[in-house]
């Protein structure tokens, strides 16, 4: 029995990060990829929805960024999540330049505020963005062109972090891995989650708007419901600054995971392969199995201890884990070591999985994260 549990732990730890993308590589790519589509006779009407809560210190900069975008007759709507500072007043000052305010009178979270803007939007394509995200001038035109493919229901940008000195960061191994994995999913059954800070969707995809599920996941799910796909756009970038207080990043991860667990628990039907096909497998592999990794780690470590001395493979597995966690502990005690790849990747991996474990426990205790507070950047 212990041997079975040991190998169960091994497969569980490896599946989401290694076996899942390997399996994706054998799944046929969806038809139409790379095909040229005729340009529409007229540009699609676009509504840009910016979600804000108490953003008086930077909403003006965001609006100016939106007004400078190169897209004709762009409708700009700021969705205020019951802001109590001067955010709404600043937005109203731009009414003469075509900026609209859609205010949620009761604070029920980001998705509820977005819904108020969706009701007012007139665009065929709805583009969602956070205040912290800076959009390049030509990004909307690039993003909208993906909708020339009738099978595409939503388009996700790719994130680029900007450091305090203004330089672009975030090109590490983990980010490159995630972008590579996104590409695999995009070419198959579509993304299982978009970049929540900057993405676009057809108006029809937004008809079923669950205010209690993260819009980045719910939009991808709605695409699957409509027989469409959500795709990644490597040539469409959204720039935003790192979190101002790095110590708050751990808490941000916990909030994000709780929101993801909440979404999956509300839409368990997405795991039904008879209804959603390969999209169900991608949700299982990318979401559910990744959230299970910390528990597989615990199982693997305990069974390795109990089986050590009963075979070379078990002893080796225990020694490798001790070395791995030793590197993490060293990186924790001496932060300077984290600048080295040999320490940075293991430390980040463990930090993420500690956040997943904490979020899972909090979720099972009944904690939910419907009310949204933007990270300070």
């Amino acid at each position: 029995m212990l041997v079975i549990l040991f190998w169960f732990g091994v497969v569980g730890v490896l599946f989401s990060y290694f076996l899942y993308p390997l399996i994706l590589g054998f799944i046929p790519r969806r038809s139409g990829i790379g095909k040229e589509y005729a340009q529409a006779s007229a540009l699609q009407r676009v509504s840009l929805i910016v979600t804000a809560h108490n953003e008086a210190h930077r909403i003006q900069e965001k609006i100016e960024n939106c007004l400078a975008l190169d897209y004709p007759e762009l409708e700009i709507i700021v969705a205020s999540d019951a802001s109590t500072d001067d955010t709404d007043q600043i937005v109203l000052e731009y009414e003469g330049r075509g900026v609209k305010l859609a205010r949620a009178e009761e604070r029920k979270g980001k998705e509820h505020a977005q819904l108020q803007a969706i009701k007012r939007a007139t665009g065929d394509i709805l583009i969602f963005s956070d205040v912290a995200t800076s959009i390049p001038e030509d990004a909307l035109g690039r993003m909208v062109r993906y909708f020339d493919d009738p099978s595409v229901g939503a388009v996700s940008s790719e994130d680029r972090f900007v450091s305090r000195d203004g330089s672009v960061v975030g090109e590490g191994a983990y980010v490159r891995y995630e972008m590579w994995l996104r590409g695999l999913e995009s070419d198959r059954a579509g993304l299982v989650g978009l970049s929540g800070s900057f993405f676009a969707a057809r108006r029809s995809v937004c008809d079923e708007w669950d205010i209690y599920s993260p819009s980045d996941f719910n939009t991808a799910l709605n695409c699957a419901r409509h027989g469409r796909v959500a795709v990644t756009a490597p040539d469409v970038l959204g720039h935003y600054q790192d979190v101002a207080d790095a110590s708050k990043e751990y808490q941000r991860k916990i909030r994000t995971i709780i929101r993801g667990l909440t979404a999956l628990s509300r839409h368990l039907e997405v795991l039904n392969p008879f209804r959603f096909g390969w999209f169900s497998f991608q949700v299982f592999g990318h979401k559910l199995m990744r959230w299970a990794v910390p528990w597989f780690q615990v199982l693997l470590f305990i069974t390795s201890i109990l089986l050590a001395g009963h075979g070379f493979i078990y002893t080796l597995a225990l020694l490798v884990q001790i070395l791995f966690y030793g590197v993490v502990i060293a990186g924790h005690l001496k932060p300077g070591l984290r600048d080295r790849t040999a320490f940075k990747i293991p430390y980040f991996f463990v930090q993420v999985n500690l956040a997943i474990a904490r979020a899972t426990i909090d979720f099972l205790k009944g904690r939910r994260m419907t009310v949204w507070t933007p990270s300070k950047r």
Side-chain angles (χ1 to χ4, degrees), residues 76-367:
I76 301 172
I77 305 174
V78 177
S80 174
D81 184 19
S83 295
T84 56
D85 63 358
D86 293 332
T87 297
D88 296 358
Q89 288 71 27
I90 295 172
V91 175
L92 291 173
E93 292 173 4
Y94 283 88
E95 274 190 317
R97 298 176 66 180
V99 179
K100 301 176 183 179
L101 173 66
R103 175 180 170 82
E105 295 299 335
E106 184 179 357
R107 192 177 178 209
K108 292 184 178 179
K110 180 178 183 178
E111 283 68 29
H112 179 254
Q114 289 172 330
L115 180 59
Q116 311 316 305
I118 291 171
K119 291 176 180 177
R120 293 194 59 185
T122 61
D124 300 310
I125 302 296
L126 306 183
I127 298 181
F128 300 86
S129 179
D130 290 345
V131 173
T133 303
S134 176
I135 302 175
E137 183 179 352
D138 63 347
L140 299 195
R142 292 175 180 271
M143 183 172 267
V144 170
R145 279 198 292 271
Y146 281 83
F147 291 101
D148 290 343
D149 181 345
S151 70
V152 171
V155 179
S156 175
S157 68
E158 293 196 357
D159 301 330
R160 290 294 183 272
F161 297 96
V162 179
S163 65
R164 300 286 116 186
D165 62 7
S167 61
V168 177
V169 296
E171 295 293 340
Y174 180 77
V175 172
R176 291 196 299 271
Y177 169 81
E178 283 296 321
M179 293 304 102
W180 170 71
L181 184 57
R182 269 194 183 191
L184 287 175
E185 292 176 337
S186 179
D187 290 347
R188 272 75 185 176
L191 302 179
V192 298
L194 301 97
S195 171
S197 61
F198 183 25
F199 70 91
R202 294 184 190 273
R203 178 60 183 259
S204 59
V205 168
C206 300
D207 287 342
E208 301 173 65
W209 197 259
D210 183 359
I211 66 171
Y212 300 108
S213 295
S215 54
D216 55 340
F217 171 76
N218 196 52
T219 302
L221 173 57
N222 284 344
C223 286
R225 285 193 178 117
H226 284 253
R228 300 181 188 270
V229 293
V231 300
T232 188
D235 58 334
V236 179
L237 307 178
H239 297 89
Y240 62 97
Q241 284 191 326
D242 273 332
V243 176
D245 184 352
S247 65
K248 300 293 178 62
E249 179 64 17
Y250 178 74
Q251 293 300 323
R252 187 193 69 79
K253 285 185 174 70
I254 291 175
R255 293 196 301 270
T256 299
I257 296 160
I258 289 176
R259 282 168 58 80
L261 289 166
T262 301
L264 189 58
S265 68
R266 288 178 58 81
H267 300 287
L268 287 174
E269 72 277 6
V270 73
L271 295 174
N272 181 357
F274 298 103
R275 180 176 176 186
F276 291 99
W278 284 113
F279 186 77
S280 292
F281 171 71
Q282 292 182 188
V283 172
F284 172 78
H286 195 149
K287 297 286 188 181
L288 194 61
M289 286 299 288
R290 187 171 292 191
W291 292 333
V293 166
W295 312 112
F296 284 123
Q297 285 181 265
V298 172
L299 177 64
L300 178 59
F301 190 68
I302 292 174
T303 54
S304 296
I305 292 174
L306 296 175
L307 289 170
H310 292 79
F312 173 74
I313 189 67
Y314 308 121
T315 303
L316 178 62
L318 178 61
L319 292 176
V320 169
Q321 290 174 82
I322 291 173
L323 176 62
F324 179 84
Y325 294 121
V327 167
V328 173
I329 293 171
H332 180 72
L333 296 176
K334 294 187 176 182
L337 292 174
R338 296 178 218 161
D339 293 332
R340 305 178 187 177
T341 302
F343 290 86
K344 181 191 299 183
I345 294 178
Y347 186 85
F348 181 81
F349 178 81
V350 169
Q351 183 188 51
V352 167
N353 283 288
L354 283 173
I356 292 173
R358 172 64 185 275
T360 304
I361 293 170
D362 287 353
F363 174 79
L364 293 175
K365 287 182 176 179
R367 184 182 178 191

Side-chain angles (χ1 to χ4, degrees), residues 26-44:
F26 288 97
I27 297 174
R29 301 171 75 198
R30 59 186 172 84
S31 60
I33 296 177
K35 181 179 178 180
E36 294 294 331
Y37 293 91
Q39 292 292 324
S41 57
L43 285 172
Q44 304 233 41

